[in-house]
Amino acid sequence: MDLSLILPVVLLVALLIYAVSIYNRLVALKNRFQNAFAQIEVQLKRRHDLIPNLVETARAYMAHERETLSAVTEARNAAEVGLKHAAADPGNAAAMAELAGAEGALGSALGRLNVVMEAYPDLKASENMQQLSETLTSTENRVAFARQAFNDAVMQYNTYKQSFPPVILAASFGHKQDAALLEFEDSAEIQAAPRVSF
């Protein structure tokens, strides 16, 4: 057996195994951030499903506030569309920006609803409204935790993809674009625990 032939073959096999390990790590990290987005999707869907119940409960008490209730419903529908687009391609910068904008508008509409509700003491005292409020607050916390986990997974993926030597092979393995973080416009408010009062 000729040593001059064995050494290049061993080196080639080692390089091939290393390239396969880079590919597998990129796939694993991409799957991790996509799964983390799926957790955000579950929590946002839960939030979106609570809002019609909140609006319907408030509607009985707030007959003169149709405009506010309509704004909440429209913002919720826009957030649903943004979520569908983001779920189709988690990590896509445009989809993440659309989702962040829609969720920001929904949060703003819910904030206006909260202000209007202050004028209705019977509504604030309603047991159903208190349960909805508590569930919505819990869901907001879950969204924040899920978003943090998603952003952490995206950061790991991007860091590995941009490091050497994966940066050389990533594009040829189908990992051309960096994944985008999900950052809401009101990030200062998001850092604080959500507060909903009825």
Side-chain angles (χ1 to χ4, degrees):
M1 218 182 235
D2 189 10
L3 276 177
S4 63
L5 205 59
I6 292 175
L7 189 59
V9 169
V10 168
L11 187 58
L12 184 61
V13 168
L15 287 174
L16 183 62
I17 290 171
Y18 188 64
V20 167
S21 73
I22 289 173
Y23 175 82
N24 289 340
R25 175 112 169 125
L26 285 167
V27 169
L29 290 171
K30 184 175 183 180
N31 287 339
R32 190 175 299 154
F33 86 72
Q34 288 175 335
N35 180 56
F37 184 81
Q39 301 308 311
I40 292 173
E41 183 179 16
V42 166
Q43 297 309 322
L44 288 178
K45 181 75 173 128
R46 179 179 176 183
R47 178 184 188 214
H48 298 166
D49 289 346
L50 284 171
I51 291 171
N53 295 330
L54 182 76
V55 169
E56 198 54 42
T57 301
R59 187 180 316 272
Y61 291 89
M62 301 171 58
H64 303 304
E65 303 293 344
R66 292 177 197 239
E67 186 177 310
T68 302
L69 296 173
S70 293
V72 170
T73 302
E74 289 171 14
R76 181 251 184 207
N77 294 340
E80 278 281 305
V81 170
L83 180 58
K84 285 180 185 171
H85 291 160
D89 190 8
N92 177 289
M96 293 297 111
E98 178 185 357
L99 177 60
E103 287 297 324
L106 178 58
S108 177
L110 285 172
R112 287 191 304 276
L113 179 63
N114 288 338
V115 168
V116 170
M117 285 182 175
E118 290 294 323
Y120 297 88
D122 291 342
L123 176 60
K124 287 173 50 175
S126 163
E127 186 177 323
N128 192 23
M129 187 56 78
Q130 288 175 355
Q131 286 177 331
L132 285 169
S133 170
E134 187 177 311
T135 305
L136 187 60
T137 300
S138 170
T139 301
E140 294 294 336
N141 286 331
R142 291 177 184 181
V143 168
F145 289 129
R147 196 183 99 237
Q148 180 63 46
F150 171 75
N151 285 343
D152 289 345
V154 165
M155 185 64 80
Q156 287 178 338
Y157 171 77
N158 288 343
T159 300
Y160 182 74
K161 185 179 147 312
Q162 295 167 2
S163 64
F164 184 80
V167 71
I168 296 170
L169 301 172
S172 62
F173 287 159
H175 299 267
K176 295 178 178 137
Q177 298 290 340
D178 286 348
L181 299 172
L182 178 56
E183 297 176 315
F184 294 124
E185 294 172 8
D186 57 350
S187 62
E189 291 174 25
I190 298 231
Q191 299 305 320
R195 197 173 146 234
V196 180
S197 60
F198 295 103

